[in-house]
């Protein structure tokens, strides 16, 4: 296919229509000057293949591998056990090499897997319908805020206890749409209800909350739903899917949209990715759901078949009425989550959640009994909690990392007032002996 670039006169015509003189003006207002490239890239001399391998091995050696450490690090990604059947299935050629199921007659296996994923996500969240997956939990939340604003015709979003990275992604997504994002303070580890009640207005499109929230605390979703619906806003919940093995489904508590990060469902840590987001909603928002959905149908001979349907992206039937510009779903990661959920089943997922809960509370009691340490908040938690330390949490985390222990996430990186606090996560993989080992390391003199 021949590529014909724009001619100089065409470029000048486009610039004039925009009221600009130079192409660079498209970027100068949005990108700080010190980030712009004003000369050639400062690249080193090329390397041979052997030299390049050695170079990358050296770089990789700088990483701390969670699989080789005692990992109590969470803050959005968690060290859960991945059953061996998960990689066995997703590495099969017909799945591992597939891109996207544009031709349903050739993609029945992939389409059926997506349909099963949608079904399980709907059941897990207590919602009517789910899509074929999103890029990750952060973008799923951003898309939910956009859906709420478009549905209500309002332009304000209130976020409670949301992961700082998710907040940043959401702000980036909605900036061009004129949606204002406000964050609730969490002085007691949960969203400040008084602040929320004062902030709610006729301009509020959505209350968005994580469950459990970024600090690991369990929020009162029923009360938040009452507050949101009382002013005509939607309630969006960013749910941890493992926690839903024990906690009541957000849909049963009044949530309008439930999103989340599917990494705990058989994806592993993998140095931070790839990830998969899920997105589920009430039936009334079916045509505003971003991305794509798979439906089950029958052919003329009565045989079951699966097809893509209700694709809202602009490249397809919606065009200027598109609700999102997401281009695809995370097919391979979605498959991993589907295999994990199907293998674990309802009881298996509950067992994992119960182990996380019990081990986290054992760890919290053990660590809080150490001299100088205590739990920062009294709010109920699932498998993650904030531990206040006698000194810099950043320094403590660095010291223990040198001993092969990832002790938790130093919260001072985002919240200066919590510079002495670690966010500690405990999954089903951690044993009582390993928790005791963490306690001993924390108690030892620096």
């Amino acid at each position: 296919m021949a590529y014909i670039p724009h001619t100089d006169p065409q470029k000048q015509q486009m610039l004039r229509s925009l009221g600009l003189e130079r192409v660079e003006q498209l970027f100068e207002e949005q990108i700080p000057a010190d980030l712009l490239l004003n000369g050639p890239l400062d690249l080193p001399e090329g390397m041979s293949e052997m030299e390049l391998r050695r170079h990358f091995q050296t770089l990789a050696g700088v990483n701390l591998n969670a699989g080789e450490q005692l990992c109590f690090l969470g803050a959005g990604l968690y060290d859960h056990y991945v059953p061996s059947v998960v990689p066995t299935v997703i590495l099969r050629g017909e799945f591992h090499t597939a891109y996207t199921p544009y031709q349903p007659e050739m993609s029945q296996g992939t389409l059926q897997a997506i349909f099963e994923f949608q079904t399980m996500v709907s059941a897990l969240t207590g919602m009517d319908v789910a899509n074929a997956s999103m890029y990750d939990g952060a973008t799923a939340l951003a898309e939910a805020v956009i859906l709420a604003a478009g549905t209500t015709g309002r332009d304000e979003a209130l976020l409670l206890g949301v992961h700082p990275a998710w907040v940043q992604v959401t702000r980036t997504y909605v900036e061009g749409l004129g949606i204002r994002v406000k964050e609730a303070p969490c002085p007691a580890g949960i969203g400040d209800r008084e602040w929320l009640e004062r902030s709610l207005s006729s301009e509020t499109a959505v209350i968005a909350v994580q469950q459990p929230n970024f600090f690991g605390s369990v929020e009162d979703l029923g009360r938040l739903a009452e507050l949101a619906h009382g002013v005509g806003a939607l309630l969006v919940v960013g749910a941890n899917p493992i926690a839903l093995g024990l906690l009541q489904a957000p849909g049963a508590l009044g949530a309008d949209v439930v999103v989340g990060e599917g990494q705990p469902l058989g994806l592993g840590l993998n140095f931070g990715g790839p990830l998969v987001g899920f997105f589920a909603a009430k039936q009334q928002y079916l045509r505003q759901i971003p991305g794509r959905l798979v439906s089950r149908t029958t052919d003329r001979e009565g045989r079951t078949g699966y097809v893509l349907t209700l694709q809202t992206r602009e490249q397809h039937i919606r065009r200027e009425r598109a609700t999102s510009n997401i281009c695809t779903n995370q097919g391979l990661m979605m498959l991993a989550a589907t295999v994990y959920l199907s293998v674990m089943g309802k009881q298996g997922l509950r067992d994992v959640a119960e182990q996380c809960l019990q081990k986290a509370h054992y760890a919290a009691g053990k660590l809080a009994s150490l001299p100088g340490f205590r739990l920062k908040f009294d709010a109920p938690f699932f498998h993650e909690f904030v531990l206040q330390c006698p000194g810099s949490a950043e320094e403590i985390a660095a010291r223990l990392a040198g001993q092969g222990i990832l002790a938790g996430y130093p919260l001072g990186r985002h919240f200066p007032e919590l510079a002495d606090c670690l966010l500690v996560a405990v999954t089903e993989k951690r044993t009582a002996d390993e928790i005791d080992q963490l306690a001993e390391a924390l108690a030892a003199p620096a």
Side-chain angles (χ1 to χ4, degrees):
M1 182 172 64
Y3 173 68
I4 303 175
H6 294 116
T7 64
D8 288 336
Q10 288 173 329
K11 293 176 185 178
Q12 291 302 317
Q13 182 181 354
M14 287 188 285
L15 287 172
R16 284 195 300 271
S17 69
L18 294 170
L20 304 175
E21 297 179 356
R22 298 174 293 107
V23 172
E24 289 75 16
Q25 289 177 273
L26 292 168
F27 315 104
E28 287 172 349
E29 291 186 7
Q30 297 295 328
I31 302 176
D34 59 337
L35 296 181
L36 291 172
L37 182 65
N38 296 312
L41 288 171
D42 183 18
L43 295 176
E45 293 294 324
M47 300 181 187
S48 69
E49 180 177 333
M50 184 170 62
E51 290 171 328
L52 194 58
R53 277 187 176 276
R54 187 178 296 117
H55 174 64
F56 280 129
Q57 288 170 349
T58 300
L59 293 178
V62 177
N63 289 320
L64 292 176
N65 189 334
E68 299 172 356
Q69 312 264 321
L70 284 187
C71 184
F72 295 90
L73 189 60
L77 301 180
Y78 302 96
D79 185 27
H80 291 285
Y81 181 72
V82 178
S84 59
V85 66
V86 174
T88 299
V89 172
I90 70 172
L91 292 177
R92 288 179 60 93
E94 60 268 40
F95 290 123
H96 197 233
T97 60
Y99 168 58
T100 195
Y102 284 129
Q103 295 177 278
E105 68 277 8
M106 298 292 289
S107 308
Q108 286 298 292
T110 297
L111 288 167
Q112 182 177 355
I114 294 174
F115 183 82
E116 299 294 347
F117 172 79
Q118 293 173 176
T119 303
M120 287 188 278
V121 168
S122 295
L124 192 61
T125 59
M127 305 305 286
D128 299 321
V129 61
N131 74 2
S133 78
M134 308 294 289
Y135 295 136
D136 57 16
T139 54
L141 178 69
E143 296 279 8
V145 169
I146 293 172
L147 180 150
T151 300
T152 62
R154 301 176 179 183
D155 60 3
E156 184 178 82
L158 305 181
L159 274 53
L160 279 73
V162 173
H163 193 299
W166 290 31
V167 174
Q168 290 181 332
V169 169
T170 300
R171 288 187 186 278
T172 300
Y173 260 62
V174 306
E175 180 182 6
L177 301 175
I179 300 172
R180 304 187 308 278
V181 175
K182 297 181 179 179
E183 288 185 78
C186 297
I190 57 175
D192 189 324
R193 297 294 185 272
E194 293 183 2
W195 178 93
L196 180 61
E197 292 174 3
R198 291 195 307 269
S199 301
L200 285 168
S201 71
S202 59
E203 298 179 347
T204 305
V206 59
I207 296 176
V209 59
Q210 283 192 258
Q211 179 75 322
N213 67 24
F214 177 66
F215 300 109
S217 303
V218 177
E219 296 276 359
D220 184 353
L221 298 186
R223 177 58 180 156
L224 293 177
E226 292 176 3
L227 291 172
H229 298 157
V231 297
L234 273 60
L235 176 65
V236 170
V237 177
N240 181 314
I242 297 295
L244 294 182
L246 279 181
L247 299 178
Q248 193 168 3
L253 296 171
D256 299 288
V257 180
V258 182
V259 300
E261 174 54 62
Q263 180 273 332
L265 303 176
L267 270 63
L269 287 171
N270 303 319
F271 295 103
L275 305 175
V276 60
F278 58 85
F279 191 113
K282 290 181 177 178
Q283 182 72 25
Q284 68 201 74
Y285 305 115
L286 176 63
R287 292 187 177 274
Q288 283 75 47
I289 291 177
R292 58 165 63 124
L293 287 83
V294 170
S295 294
R296 184 169 61 191
T297 185
T298 54
D299 64 13
R300 285 180 295 183
E301 298 179 8
R303 296 175 299 185
T304 297
Y306 299 89
V307 295
L308 287 174
T309 185
L310 294 177
Q311 300 170 84
T312 59
R313 64 182 182 154
E314 76 284 354
Q315 295 99 317
H316 289 110
I317 59 173
R318 300 300 292 275
R319 298 189 183 276
E320 71 276 3
R321 294 184 295 113
T323 58
S324 169
N325 66 353
I326 182 173
C327 290
T328 185
N329 65 294
Q330 285 281 56
L332 194 63
M333 299 300 101
M334 170 281 304
L335 179 63
T338 304
V339 174
Y340 179 89
L341 286 170
S342 63
V343 168
M344 300 302 291
K346 182 177 180 179
Q347 188 57 48
L349 188 66
R350 183 179 180 87
D351 289 345
V352 170
E354 286 181 343
Q355 285 197 48
C356 290
L357 178 73
Q358 293 169 7
K359 292 179 177 181
H361 282 75
Y362 171 77
K366 187 84 174 180
L367 301 183
S369 68
L370 299 175
F373 291 85
R374 72 179 187 91
L375 296 186
K376 179 66 175 177
F377 306 123
D378 296 327
F381 62 90
F382 171 57
H383 77 337
E384 202 164 16
F385 56 90
V386 177
L387 181 70
Q388 188 170 18
C389 309
S392 167
E394 193 77 55
E395 293 177 3
I396 291 174
R399 174 169 62 86
L400 266 65
Q403 302 173 27
I405 302 174
L406 302 178
Y409 187 79
L411 288 174
R413 296 175 182 178
H414 298 288
F415 307 96
E417 69 276 14
L418 299 177
D420 60 348
C421 292
L422 280 174
L423 184 61
V424 181
V426 185
T427 70
E428 81 283 6
K429 286 181 65 174
R430 303 285 71 85
T431 66
D433 287 343
E434 290 172 339
I435 295 170
D436 293 345
Q437 186 178 340
L438 171 63
E440 292 173 4
L442 287 172

